[in-house]
Amino acid sequence: MRRVFTLALLAATAGCTTTAPVPNSLPAVTVTARGETTPVGTVAADAADDPAIWRNAADPAASLIVATDKKAGLYVYGLDGKVRSFEPAGRLNNVDLTTLADGTVLVAASDRNDLAGARLRLYRLDTTGGQLVALGEVSGGAGEAYGVCLAQLGDELFAFSVLKTGRIEQVRLEVSGGAVSGTTVRSLKLATQPEGCVVDQRSGLLYVGEEDVGIWRFEVGPGGSETATLVAPADGRHLVADVEGLALAESGADGGWLVASSQGDNAYVLYELPSLRPAGRFRVGRGVVGSTEETDGIALVLGDFGPDYPTGLLVVQDGVNAPAAQNFKLVSWADVIASLGLHH
């Protein structure tokens, strides 16, 4: 969901006494992006939404970004921001990817073409050609598809289908011989609309953003409780509603970072794992490329992505990229850490 700041600004300019409230959020440092993608093809609309990152360990500069135009389909971009390919598939809202034991890079997108029945559309990413190879689709539950995230827990592969109603379906995936199948094994529930989700595969913990409430945690490993725990409320200070994209980067046995898009004040919040202690807030300001506002989806992967991104790559959707259509900005994780005075 996107707050329509532009309308509030126009109303104020016209002499209306009602203006949008100013968030009482904590200060945020400013970093600048080092790159950006070609804008999505859908113009004059809220269209770009969610990215996922594949890191090429053998040749970091050849890493790829898969991202949605939620009105039209899926893009594959290189780190130079140029389009490698486009998959016209209609209303695909969120996307995630994971590398399987056999080396297959599996991509899952939440398909909301049918508002009554969510689907998970699955692809193999041809990492050499930068192409998406369709594998099929499975049910994501009754209702409108919204968020999606993948996790390999033990010997099992799961997709989490986040529905606009607040339900989250845990779907066991089977990928064999170029075909896919899915079985729903658990249904979880939040009271209002969620979207972004990520899984800490080490602990079997699922984090889901409920847009107007905050970030919840579920146990999704074998025997896990279905009760949600609110771990980061949208308090208007650290995290300002809407709570949008979530990204999680694992480091070591239990360390790393959880990052959230604090869309209500155009910022991002960093939480330290495993404590979930708030570790700082930052914004992406104008530099060699533009700033970011009203960010929906985000993705973060640690590791070497070449000289511009030596310790990790953060990709964030830019909801205001005028005069061009929306796109995605590429941020060096080293810049974020240095700006916040933290250690890798």
Side-chain angles (χ1 to χ4, degrees):
M1 184 185 299
R2 176 163 279 115
R3 308 289 192 195
V4 188
F5 296 112
T6 305
L7 292 181
L9 178 61
L10 289 174
T13 304
C16 177
T17 58
T18 301
T19 59
V22 177
N24 189 32
S25 54
L26 295 172
V29 302
T30 298
V31 300
T32 57
R34 297 195 178 201
E36 65 180 335
T37 67
T38 299
V40 298
T42 301
V43 299
D46 177 20
D49 197 273
D50 191 44
I53 302 166
W54 173 73
R55 177 176 173 268
N56 187 333
D59 183 3
S63 300
L64 298 171
I65 300 162
V66 182
T68 61
D69 176 334
K70 63 187 176 186
K71 310 291 188 183
L74 278 174
Y75 283 92
V76 179
Y77 297 101
L79 291 191
D80 60 1
K82 295 180 180 178
V83 176
R84 298 287 298 276
S85 66
F86 176 68
E87 175 72 11
R91 302 178 68 209
L92 303 187
N93 197 59
N94 278 197
V95 65
D96 197 13
L97 62 79
T98 189
T99 302
L100 305 182
D102 65 0
T104 298
V105 180
L106 182 71
V107 175
S110 56
D111 185 339
R112 64 196 295 195
N113 284 295
D114 179 358
L115 299 185
R119 309 293 294 176
L120 298 176
R121 196 171 289 214
L122 297 159
Y123 300 88
R124 176 179 64 83
L125 176 60
D126 172 0
T127 56
T128 301
Q131 305 284 326
L132 291 166
V133 179
L135 299 177
E137 58 183 42
V138 301
S139 174
E144 183 178 351
Y146 222 44
V148 67
C149 50
L150 295 170
Q152 297 183 67
L153 301 175
D155 296 329
E156 295 186 304
L157 172 65
F158 295 101
F160 295 86
S161 175
V162 179
L163 305 175
K164 207 167 184 179
T165 59
R167 186 165 295 281
I168 303 138
E169 305 287 10
Q170 183 174 350
V171 181
R172 181 188 295 113
L173 296 176
E174 299 285 346
V175 181
S176 178
V180 294
S181 60
T183 305
T184 299
V185 298
R186 182 183 298 177
S187 291
L188 308 168
K189 187 72 170 67
L190 293 174
T192 63
Q193 181 173 299
E195 183 173 6
C197 70
V198 287
V199 178
D200 188 331
Q201 299 181 124
R202 303 163 300 182
S203 57
L205 295 174
L206 167 70
Y207 297 92
V208 183
E210 187 177 7
E211 292 190 347
D212 291 327
V213 179
I215 303 171
W216 295 87
R217 183 176 64 201
F218 291 94
E219 299 174 357
V220 293
S225 169
E226 296 182 4
T227 301
T229 301
L230 184 63
V231 295
D235 58 4
R237 290 175 58 75
H238 290 99
L239 186 60
V240 182
D242 289 345
V243 181
E244 288 288 340
L246 297 181
L248 188 147
E250 301 173 354
S251 178
D254 61 0
W257 309 100
L258 176 67
V259 187
S261 168
S262 176
Q263 193 186 83
D265 70 334
N266 296 327
Y268 310 90
V269 188
L270 184 60
Y271 299 92
E272 188 177 285
L273 294 173
S275 66
L276 292 179
R277 177 186 67 86
R281 292 164 35 85
F282 63 96
R283 292 189 173 89
V284 178
R286 181 172 294 277
V288 294
V289 298
S291 58
T292 64
E293 293 80 27
E294 300 185 16
T295 292
D296 285 326
I298 62 178
L300 169 64
V301 173
L302 303 183
D304 177 17
F305 283 85
D308 284 337
Y309 314 99
T311 64
L313 173 64
L314 174 69
V315 179
V316 300
Q317 184 259 8
D318 184 9
V320 182
N321 191 43
Q326 295 176 346
N327 72 346
F328 300 86
K329 300 296 196 285
L330 282 63
V331 179
S332 171
W333 189 241
D335 292 345
V336 173
I337 294 297
S339 296
L340 291 171
L342 301 172
H343 297 289
H344 291 287

